[in-house]
Amino acid sequence: QGQPVESGGGLVQAGGSLRLSCATSRTILSVFTESTLGWYRQAPGKERELVASIIGGRPNYADSVKGRFTISSDNVKRTVHLQMNSLKPEDTGLYFCNHHTPYGVDKWGQGTQVTVSS
């Protein structure tokens, strides 16, 4: 219950764009604004890695996606988005939304697949 739900993945050619969305259900506003919301990805045979996170409107990015990806959150809809531009084949992976609450609880979505063809 209350797990994030991702959407927006797909197949795109290198240089293309995708926008991922994550809905965090049943989250009251004060908890949402004090939560850390993040996008992680896991490529086949590799460990899950943090791509971007946001807390209180302040974003952080992995070096590999800086300047190409933008994370944003919508307090009214309790959603977090990841705009991905200039996609590269190495961006391919299963993208997970993480909702880390101010109480230390981690909630994970089931993931959405992003595949970038060369």
Side-chain angles (χ1 to χ4, degrees):
Q1 290 185 343
Q3 301 307 112
V5 178
E6 304 98 336
S7 61
L11 173 63
V12 65
Q13 289 188 334
S17 298
L18 283 173
R19 178 177 170 86
L20 305 184
S21 296
C22 173
T24 63
S25 62
R26 305 181 207 174
T27 305
I28 63 174
L29 180 59
S30 61
V31 172
F32 185 82
T33 58
E34 293 177 12
S35 295
T36 301
L37 303 162
W39 285 97
Y40 290 71
R41 68 185 178 196
Q42 187 165 18
K46 295 188 177 181
E47 293 186 354
R48 190 175 298 188
E49 63 174 350
L50 176 64
V51 174
S53 64
I54 188 167
I55 178 170
R58 299 183 300 274
N60 289 286
Y61 299 97
D63 288 343
S64 60
V65 306
K66 282 181 180 177
R68 300 188 298 122
F69 291 11
T70 302
I71 189 171
S72 61
S73 60
D74 184 325
N75 290 342
V76 175
K77 297 182 179 179
R78 314 291 199 268
T79 55
V80 59
H81 306 279
L82 187 67
Q83 178 66 42
M84 306 185 294
N85 299 328
S86 302
L87 282 161
K88 304 175 181 180
E90 51 263 45
D91 293 318
T92 293
L94 190 60
Y95 281 69
F96 296 90
C97 177
N98 173 261
H99 177 191
H100 182 79
T101 77
Y103 311 112
V105 176
D106 269 314
K107 299 181 180 182
W108 291 92
Q110 293 192 341
T112 184
Q113 180 66 37
V114 171
T115 303
V116 184
S117 62
S118 57

